[in-house]
Amino acid sequence: MLKFYYNPISPNARRVWITLLEKEIPFEPILMNLDGDQLNPDFSAINPFQHIPVVVDNGLRLVESLAILDYLEAKYPKPALLPQEPQALATVKMVQMLTANELFPQLISLIYENQDSPQFTKAKQHIDKVLKFFTELLGNLPYFGSEQLTLADIVAGNAVLYLPNMGFTLDDYPQINKWSERLMQRPVWQKTKLSDEDFAQFKRRIRVLVKLHRREFSRGNTAKK
């Protein structure tokens, strides 16, 4: 049986978790304690980069969430989560990449930066730009690129749905707001919804990771002088 290494507070892992459940793919869940399990030698042997999610399927190991999603779609094509029409497929891929590269980094700023800081203001402005573009891409369809749920919805949903918990309202983006409500009406999304405690743990982990990253960056710059 497919093995799935994850933790529910990880947005990248949640992409895979929801996809597995939406496709009704049997899997063995392996819950990782992110305070140390990822550093375990046995896990490091599976993923030397020591992060989740990881999927192991018949000896094949996959360590990047977007690659895992493509693999699951190719191996388990029903129900289809990717449209076949070129423009729709491009829309789905574009939403996935925009979420990873343009939207999610701004969520980290909302969590870490002070609300009166220029970085916080800049993050909100960038999120506004992304959501307006997402509104154009969504158009009059219920889901990105399709009348049915797509991988774009799964990836983007695991970022956009965090925004209200960070004080960023979706009221100014009615189509995106309705889309997010549509996602949360799905049984899988209700089942996997983060609790308040889980979300607080997610924010604490983001703050710790940012501090560690900045400390390492500062040390690197000092060593170069």
Side-chain angles (χ1 to χ4, degrees):
M1 182 180 293
L2 181 151
K3 294 183 178 180
F4 173 46
Y5 296 79
Y6 81 113
N7 187 292
I9 72 169
S10 163
N12 289 350
R14 290 178 63 78
R15 300 170 180 174
V16 178
W17 188 23
I18 289 174
T19 300
L20 288 167
L21 294 174
E22 288 282 4
K23 283 183 166 291
E24 299 183 346
I25 300 170
F27 67 94
E28 176 187 347
I30 302 176
L31 182 63
M32 302 288 290
N33 180 338
L34 298 181
D35 291 330
D37 285 357
Q38 74 274 28
L39 306 178
N40 185 289
D42 291 338
F43 181 73
S44 297
I46 298 171
N47 182 8
F49 306 105
Q50 300 177 326
H51 60 66
I52 57 172
V54 173
V55 160
V56 178
D57 191 19
N58 291 325
L60 174 68
R61 58 177 177 174
L62 297 167
V63 302
E64 289 292 338
S65 63
L66 295 182
I68 293 171
L69 297 188
D70 284 343
Y71 171 77
L72 295 177
E73 179 67 13
K75 186 169 182 180
Y76 306 94
K78 294 183 179 180
L81 295 179
L82 282 179
Q84 298 299 312
E85 193 274 324
Q87 181 176 334
L89 179 60
T91 296
V92 168
K93 294 296 184 179
M94 187 160 45
V95 169
Q96 288 180 297
M97 297 309 297
L98 286 171
T99 300
N101 297 326
E102 302 292 342
L103 180 56
F104 193 76
Q106 310 310 319
L107 269 65
I108 294 175
S109 293
L110 291 188
I111 292 172
Y112 188 81
E113 304 293 348
N114 294 324
Q115 294 189 13
D116 57 352
S117 69
Q119 294 89 345
F120 188 90
T121 300
K122 185 177 179 180
K124 292 186 67 175
Q125 291 171 344
H126 200 80
I127 291 170
D128 173 72
K129 184 188 300 184
V130 173
L131 294 183
K132 286 178 178 176
F133 192 64
F134 276 5
T135 297
E136 294 179 20
L137 293 177
L138 188 62
N140 295 320
L141 291 172
Y143 299 103
F144 283 108
S146 178
E147 295 285 345
Q148 308 298 325
L149 183 77
T150 70
L151 293 178
D153 303 300
I154 293 174
V155 172
N158 277 290
V160 174
L161 291 176
Y162 289 127
L163 290 173
N165 297 87
M166 300 177 188
F168 192 104
T169 179
L170 298 179
D171 291 343
D172 294 333
Y173 316 92
Q175 286 171 270
I176 298 299
N177 197 19
K178 290 179 181 178
W179 164 81
S180 66
E181 291 174 351
R182 192 175 298 117
L183 290 178
M184 287 310 302
Q185 290 170 0
R186 300 181 67 89
V188 165
W189 293 71
Q190 293 177 14
K191 178 180 178 180
T192 58
K193 181 180 178 181
L194 280 180
S195 66
D196 291 341
E197 181 180 349
D198 284 340
F199 189 74
Q201 183 183 354
F202 164 69
K203 290 195 293 184
R204 287 195 297 270
R205 179 160 180 80
I206 289 294
R207 293 188 182 105
V208 169
L209 291 175
V210 171
K211 286 181 180 179
L212 289 174
H213 176 76
R214 292 187 175 183
R215 187 179 303 165
E216 291 175 0
F217 181 78
S218 177
R219 287 175 179 172
N221 284 342
T222 301
K224 292 178 183 178
K225 293 180 180 180

